[in-house]
Amino acid sequence: MNQVSIGRHILQLLIAALAVMAVAMLIFVRIFANAAVEYDIRQSLDRVAYKNLKEIEADREGKLIYKEDFVLTDGDTHFVILDQDGRLIRGEYPKGCPQDIPFTAKKRQQVSAAGDTFYFRDMRRHFHNKVSVYLRAIVCKSDAYSRYRTLERLAYGSILLVSGIAIFCGTLVSKRISNSLKKMCQSAEAIGRELNLSSRMEYEGKFYELAVLTRANNRMLDRLEESFQQQEQFTADVAHELRTPIAVMTAQCQYAHGNTVSLEEYQEAFEVMERQSKKVSAIISRLLELSRLDYDRRQIEKEDVDLPELIQSVCEDLQQKSGDSLCIRLTLHPIHTVGDISLIMIAIQNLLTNAARYSGPGSPIEVETGTQDGMVFVRVRDYGAGISEEDLPYIFKRFYKADKSRNSQGFGLGLPLTMKIAQKHGGTVLVQSRQGEGSTFTLLLPQNEWEVQS
């Protein structure tokens, strides 16, 4: 369906719906008119026949006396008076009405004749001198129906008028909708053609659904733009982080290859290249781990994890690497969780390594375990440089460093990896920090078994 045909299709659907509704209403009016005539005849026959019958009296000699209110016609109703033998005494039958209909006072009769329908209501009255008189009320359906013709015509006219107004209004509305959708489609095509994700769709009309659609599309464009910006930033950050160690290794190779150097200088060059290659390997390893977790390529095991034992193992390893300059204080309560031991160990290592990296020599690092609100926690607190309020919202973004110097320690991947591991286990990482006073990171994990988060 192209842009131009949207309004046409809407209008066609509207006209079809209105046509169906109009036909249904016409049929309803027709059926209702017939039913109304039938109901009115039945109700009026009994009423007027009984009323007129009371206007007939008889004297001592049996002669009938008609009071002033006695009538031979009452609207569409005709009255005839019959004697005991069924002979006509007074009045006349409507034109085309059969006159040989048997008399019955128990129920109304309906007879078709001369292309019309006639309704009969018979009543009998006895007088004191044993004289009986029969009153027959007759209604011709075509006569009664004529009273409803005007009303029926008005109903038909009203239906056609309302349908016409609805189609006119629908045409205007469909054109407005079509024009709005056309502009939105043109905006979307322009964004796709020009690859300008900063552009946004605009809609200032009063149709709520179109406004919602516009906002939804703009939110999608916001996410796409943010995603592309993150991808570009990520690519630039990876290139920058890898470029420095590779440049160092290249320089060492060129130096060793182009100059006459001693064995000691060779060894020094190899040591530099080894350190830089380890740095490159660490960056690639963390990026691969993040990628596996992002795309669910990493099988997450569900094992019983003794957190105090795991923390002691990590601390011993970190203490051995750092020497006596590192002061770790442990407050470990016996708690367990269910998760992937290797991933949880990486998360704890990252928190402790960060604390050690940004703490001064001899500055204590406090590690505590416990439970709260059905979760277990590992809390790591340092009294180092801390993080500014401006940097706090971004510390879990990849390659982000609170210290803007690219020569600062770390790659800006430890905290994002820790957060991703926590989220995959159904937990999270909380942080409290104040610049110059230190930071507190809390790793929260479910106490019981959990569903792997996608």
Side-chain angles (χ1 to χ4, degrees):
M1 188 183 296
N2 55 43
Q3 300 169 5
V4 179
S5 66
I6 291 174
R8 188 182 301 117
H9 280 278
I10 293 174
L11 183 58
Q12 289 173 350
L13 290 174
L14 177 63
I15 292 174
L18 287 173
V20 171
M21 184 174 66
V23 170
M25 291 178 68
L26 290 171
I27 294 172
F28 173 78
V29 169
R30 183 66 179 176
I31 295 173
F32 177 78
N34 283 324
V37 171
E38 297 277 352
Y39 179 80
D40 185 56
I41 290 174
R42 289 186 175 91
Q43 293 297 314
S44 63
L45 268 177
D46 287 342
R47 185 180 65 255
V48 298
Y50 181 75
K51 177 183 176 183
N52 219 21
L53 185 64
K54 293 193 299 181
E55 302 300 321
I56 302 174
E57 296 289 346
D59 58 16
R60 293 179 179 274
E61 298 176 358
K63 185 179 179 181
L64 297 179
I65 302 172
Y66 302 97
K67 297 182 180 180
E68 293 182 0
D69 292 334
F70 178 82
V71 293
L72 289 174
T73 58
D74 186 353
D76 302 320
T77 307
H78 298 264
F79 298 97
V80 294
I81 307 299
L82 306 175
D83 62 14
Q84 298 182 76
D85 297 323
R87 292 189 296 269
L88 182 65
I89 300 175
R90 188 175 184 183
E92 60 182 25
Y93 285 88
K95 184 179 180 180
C97 178
Q99 301 182 15
D100 55 349
I101 304 301
F103 181 87
T104 175
K106 294 182 179 180
K107 60 181 180 179
R108 285 180 295 268
Q109 299 184 76
Q110 179 178 331
V111 177
S112 296
D116 209 336
T117 302
F118 297 89
Y119 297 88
F120 294 83
R121 184 68 170 97
D122 297 331
M123 291 186 178
R124 180 168 51 190
R125 186 168 183 183
H126 296 280
F127 298 103
H128 60 277
N129 53 9
K130 298 183 180 181
V131 175
S132 296
V133 66
Y134 299 92
L135 175 70
R136 170 168 282 179
I138 310 164
V139 174
C140 179
K141 184 177 180 181
S142 60
D143 293 338
Y145 197 86
S146 62
R147 290 187 294 144
Y148 291 87
R149 290 293 183 184
T150 303
L151 179 61
E152 187 177 0
R153 293 190 188 97
L154 287 174
Y156 291 154
S158 299
I159 291 172
L160 295 176
L161 178 62
V162 171
S163 299
I165 294 173
I167 291 174
F168 176 74
C169 295
T171 303
L172 294 180
V173 171
S174 65
K175 285 184 178 180
R176 292 183 63 183
I177 294 175
S178 178
N179 290 336
S180 299
L181 289 174
K182 185 177 180 179
K183 290 179 181 178
M184 292 171 66
C185 291
Q186 290 173 345
S187 299
E189 288 179 355
I191 292 170
R193 184 174 56 253
E194 300 170 6
L195 298 178
N196 183 11
L197 293 177
S198 61
S199 297
R200 294 293 180 268
M201 295 182 180
E202 295 182 0
Y203 177 72
E204 298 178 353
K206 297 181 180 180
F207 294 104
Y208 174 76
E209 290 77 8
L210 292 181
V212 171
L213 178 62
T214 302
R215 290 196 295 268
N217 278 300
N218 286 338
R219 285 196 297 269
M220 179 184 67
L221 290 171
D222 290 338
R223 290 193 293 271
L224 284 174
E225 184 180 17
E226 183 181 1
S227 177
F228 275 105
Q229 289 175 349
Q230 289 177 348
Q231 185 177 5
E232 291 175 358
Q233 185 64 41
F234 178 76
T235 303
D237 290 337
V238 171
H240 192 97
E241 292 294 340
L242 293 178
R243 183 175 59 186
T244 301
I246 290 174
V248 172
M249 287 190 288
T250 302
Q252 291 295 323
C253 289
Q254 290 174 348
Y255 174 76
H257 179 71
N259 298 284
T260 302
V261 293
S262 63
L263 179 60
E264 187 176 318
E265 289 174 322
Y266 267 120
Q267 290 176 342
E268 183 179 350
F270 281 124
E271 288 175 359
V272 172
M273 286 189 286
E274 183 182 13
R275 286 197 303 271
Q276 297 303 320
S277 64
K278 286 182 178 179
K279 184 176 181 180
V280 171
S281 177
I283 294 174
I284 293 173
S285 176
R286 292 193 176 185
L287 285 174
L288 286 174
E289 196 66 59
L290 276 168
S291 177
R292 291 192 190 102
L293 292 173
D294 281 338
Y295 296 100
D296 296 323
R297 295 173 184 166
R298 171 71 152 82
Q299 181 65 38
I300 300 178
E301 303 295 335
K302 290 188 177 182
E303 309 164 288
D304 180 69
V305 183
D306 186 335
L307 284 174
E309 182 180 345
L310 190 62
I311 292 170
Q312 286 177 339
S313 174
V314 173
C315 289
E316 287 173 4
D317 184 57
L318 187 61
Q319 190 81 58
Q320 187 176 2
K321 291 180 181 179
S322 301
D324 297 335
S325 62
L326 188 63
C327 176
I328 302 178
R329 299 173 183 171
L330 300 178
T331 307
L332 304 179
H333 297 90
I335 57 172
H336 290 250
T337 187
V338 177
D340 193 305
I341 293 178
S342 60
L343 288 178
I344 294 176
M345 178 179 284
I346 291 173
I348 294 172
Q349 282 176 338
N350 289 339
L351 294 181
L352 285 168
T353 301
N354 265 10
R357 180 178 295 139
Y358 295 105
S359 296
S363 178
I365 297 173
E366 298 174 355
V367 183
E368 180 186 0
T369 60
T371 60
Q372 65 177 43
D373 300 329
M375 306 283 280
V376 299
F377 67 83
V378 177
R379 185 171 291 126
V380 179
R381 182 177 183 181
D382 67 72
Y383 296 89
I387 305 169
S388 67
E389 291 184 5
E390 293 79 9
D391 291 320
L392 270 177
Y394 308 104
I395 60 174
F396 292 107
K397 289 189 175 182
R398 297 171 192 188
F399 290 109
Y400 186 84
K401 298 180 181 180
D403 183 354
K404 301 302 186 293
S405 171
R406 285 289 180 178
N407 295 321
S408 61
Q409 296 179 326
F411 313 125
L413 293 173
L415 288 178
L417 180 56
T418 301
M419 176 62 83
K420 179 61 71 173
I421 290 171
Q423 290 173 343
K424 285 292 181 180
H425 284 77
T428 189
V429 180
L430 306 178
V431 59
Q432 292 178 320
S433 185
R434 183 171 294 180
Q435 197 166 19
E437 297 182 10
S439 304
T440 300
F441 286 87
T442 304
L443 172 64
L444 288 173
L445 297 170
Q447 192 168 5
N448 301 315
E449 194 164 337
W450 40 272
E451 293 291 334
V452 176
Q453 303 297 310
S454 57

